[in-house]
Amino acid sequence: RGKDDKYKVWMSKLRMAKEYKDKRESIDDVERNIFKFKKSGEERSKKMEREEKFFRETFMYDKEIRVIATATAERSVPSQRRADLPVTAGEQLDVIDAVHGHAVICRNSEGRYGYVLVEHLNFR
C-alpha cells in the first residue's frame, strides 16, 4: 500500500507539470500572435497601396486624395460593377470626391475605393 500511495502522489505531480506545460504553450501562442499582428499590419499597408494604385488607374484620378467628409452607410448595397463600392449597413466611409451628380467616390476601412450613391449615405 505504501508504494501505491507514492504512485498516486507522483501522478498528480506529473499532471500538474503537464497542465503547466499546456499553459506555457498557450502563452507562447499569444506571443506568436503578437508578431503575426505586426506582420498583418505591413500586409495591410501594402494592400492599401495596391488599392490606391488600382483606384488611380481605374478612375484616372490625378489629384491628391483628401477626405472631404465622413459618412455612414444606411443600408447594405452589393456592387454591380468593379467601379462600385460594396457597402454594409453602418459602415464608416471616407468621402474622397463628388464627381457625378448622385454618386460620390468613397473609401472603406479596408482601403477599397469606389462609387457610392448619395441616397445610401448618411452625412452627420
Side-chain angles (χ1 to χ4, degrees):
R1 289 184 182 181
K3 291 181 180 179
D4 290 338
D5 291 337
K6 287 182 183 178
Y7 179 73
K8 288 180 183 177
V9 172
W10 180 76
M11 284 298 290
S12 63
K13 286 183 182 178
L14 179 66
R15 288 183 184 153
M16 287 177 55
K18 187 177 180 181
E19 289 173 2
Y20 175 73
K21 183 180 177 184
D22 292 341
K23 287 181 184 178
R24 193 175 72 222
E25 286 175 358
S26 66
I27 291 170
D28 291 342
D29 291 341
V30 171
E31 290 175 358
R32 289 180 187 149
N33 287 340
I34 291 171
F35 294 121
K36 286 181 182 177
F37 178 74
K38 289 180 182 177
K39 186 177 179 182
S40 69
E42 293 172 2
E43 290 174 358
R44 185 173 182 178
S45 65
K46 288 180 183 178
K47 181 180 177 186
M48 290 185 82
E49 288 176 9
R50 278 190 306 234
E51 288 290 339
E52 182 178 338
K53 183 180 177 183
F54 180 80
F55 162 70
R56 289 188 179 279
E57 291 173 358
T58 305
F59 291 85
M60 292 180 269
Y61 197 82
D62 295 331
K63 303 181 223 171
E64 180 183 350
I65 296 176
R66 270 193 269 160
V67 178
I68 298 171
T70 304
T72 307
E74 290 183 342
R75 65 191 96 159
S76 297
V77 181
S79 63
Q80 301 295 327
R81 53 194 175 135
R82 177 63 176 117
D84 294 336
L85 182 65
V87 178
T88 57
E91 183 179 12
Q92 293 285 340
L93 299 171
D94 296 330
V95 178
I96 305 298
D97 201 356
V99 180
H100 298 303
H102 296 288
V104 293
I105 298 175
C106 293
R107 175 178 62 197
N108 64 5
S109 60
E110 296 174 0
R112 275 192 74 189
Y113 295 86
Y115 290 116
V116 179
L117 294 176
V118 177
E119 60 194 40
H120 301 301
L121 299 176
N122 182 14
F123 296 91
R124 293 184 200 171

